[in-house]
Structures are given as C-alpha cells and as structure tokens.
Amino acid sequence: MPSNSLFHFITKIINFEGFKVTNYHFITENELLIQLENQESLSTCPQCHKVTDKVHQSHRYRVRDIPVSSFDVFLLVNRRQFRCNKSDKVFSEELNFFKKRRTYTIRLADKVVKEVLETDLVNAGKRNRVSPAEIETILKELELDLLEEKPKELKRLGIDEITHLCMW
Ligand SMILES: [Zn+2]
C-alpha cells in the first residue's frame, strides 16, 4: 500500500518524542502539512513543579520544519494550556521541538543558522527552502532568546560575583 508506506516515512522523519503523526496532506503539490498529536496527557507547572492533567484550552499552531527533498514541510500541532491543581493558575506547556511565539521548529532554526555560518545566507536559504527574510527573522529571534537567557545566567551567579560585576 503506497499511502501506508508514505505514512511510515513521514512518521520516521518527524520523530519528536511523545508525539504521534495522526494525519498528513498536501496543501499544494510541493507543500506537505503533517498533523501531530501529543501523547502526553500531563504537564508540570513551571511555578510549583506539580503535575496536572487539567487542560484549560488548546491553541493550534502551524510551524515550519526541515524540508524533505523539494517539499516544504509544515507541522500542525496543539500547544495546550494547563491549569495548576495547587495555585489554579494557567500555564502554557513547553514543547521540545518548537518555542513559544515561533513559527518554525528548533531543528530547522539550528540547521539554518549552522549553514549560514558554514556557507552564506543564499545557500542556507536555498537548501532549507526559506527566504532571506525568513532567515533574518530566525536570526533576530535567536538573538532575542540569547538576551532573555542572560538574566537567568546572572541569577546562577553568587551574590559576591554580582557585587563584583557591579563594581566594574
Ligand atoms: Zn503550580
């Protein structure tokens, strides 16, 4: 069955831990949309680290993934909001393959950035079927991520080191 083997192939190339491919279809003749479902019914509250299964609501996102041959690949995935059992506060689940407010997977961004560094913007764009504008967005958002991570780094430093840094 040809459609069955294509399904197996898609499942193999997607391979995100805890996610199952539930469906796929071609949006255009070279754009493939793959629907994923989270197999995990629990999430851990980032505040109190307690596990909850109360889903508050769910948002569906379309994110770009690494292309396959001459096909653009898009993923259709839900990011759920859970309600903490302890505080009753709502939080958004962390997914291991795409960051919040991003329209592409982490692995696509990693691949593009690596290839921009190894070759150039034009080549990296062609290989990954992304436009120069999309690469610019990826680079800009990577910079934002790094800036956001800096305060966390500071928190990890001891108070002595911070005092020392402030003296300079
Ligand atoms: Zn909590």
Side-chain angles (χ1 to χ4, degrees):
M1 283 185 285
S3 64
N4 207 3
S5 56
L6 181 55
F7 193 84
H8 279 291
F9 173 70
I10 289 171
T11 300
K12 274 220 162 80
I13 57 163
I14 293 306
N15 195 29
F16 293 121
E17 211 192 323
F19 281 81
K20 205 174 121 185
V21 174
T22 51
N23 208 349
Y24 69 86
H25 74 271
F26 290 90
I27 321 166
T28 66
E29 58 180 23
N30 57 0
E31 287 179 309
L32 177 61
L33 182 69
I34 302 168
Q35 196 175 324
L36 299 178
E37 201 182 273
N38 197 336
Q39 299 299 101
E40 181 57 74
S41 58
L42 305 171
S43 193
T44 306
C45 170
Q47 299 286 323
C48 67
H49 308 291
K50 292 248 188 285
V51 169
T52 175
D53 64 350
K54 271 191 225 161
V55 177
H56 171 65
Q57 57 183 356
S58 188
H59 295 286
R60 183 170 270 198
Y61 294 92
R62 194 170 120 158
V63 290
R64 224 186 144 103
D65 195 23
I66 294 171
V68 177
S69 180
S70 61
F71 296 98
D72 292 334
V73 176
F74 297 93
L75 310 176
L76 200 58
V77 61
N78 281 332
R79 192 192 292 278
R80 299 162 298 180
Q81 282 187 317
F82 284 87
R83 191 177 286 281
C84 173
N85 283 320
K86 202 179 162 196
S87 67
D88 218 34
K89 277 185 188 155
V90 166
F91 65 91
S92 207
E93 70 179 330
E94 291 286 344
L95 299 179
N96 54 15
F97 60 95
F98 88 99
K99 291 180 182 167
K100 283 169 198 162
R101 298 182 294 276
R102 300 291 184 262
T103 56
Y104 45 83
T105 59
I106 293 170
R107 66 182 185 184
L108 174 62
D110 286 351
K111 191 169 179 285
V112 167
V113 171
K114 188 170 171 267
E115 286 173 17
V116 167
L117 294 172
E118 280 171 4
T119 60
D120 55 68
L121 219 118
V122 175
N123 266 304
K126 269 188 196 160
R127 279 200 218 163
N128 296 290
R129 302 180 58 84
V130 289
S131 69
E134 283 171 311
I135 294 185
E136 254 177 59
T137 304
I138 290 174
L139 294 175
K140 210 184 280 170
E141 289 177 339
L142 177 72
E143 195 187 341
L144 288 175
D145 287 347
L146 290 174
L147 286 173
E148 240 175 60
E149 276 163 26
K150 267 191 187 164
K152 282 184 207 156
E153 285 294 325
L154 273 179
K155 269 186 212 159
R156 265 182 237 135
L157 292 172
I159 193 77
D160 286 349
E161 278 128 295
I162 293 172
T163 313
H164 185 76
L165 282 174
C166 293
M167 281 162 67
W168 291 93

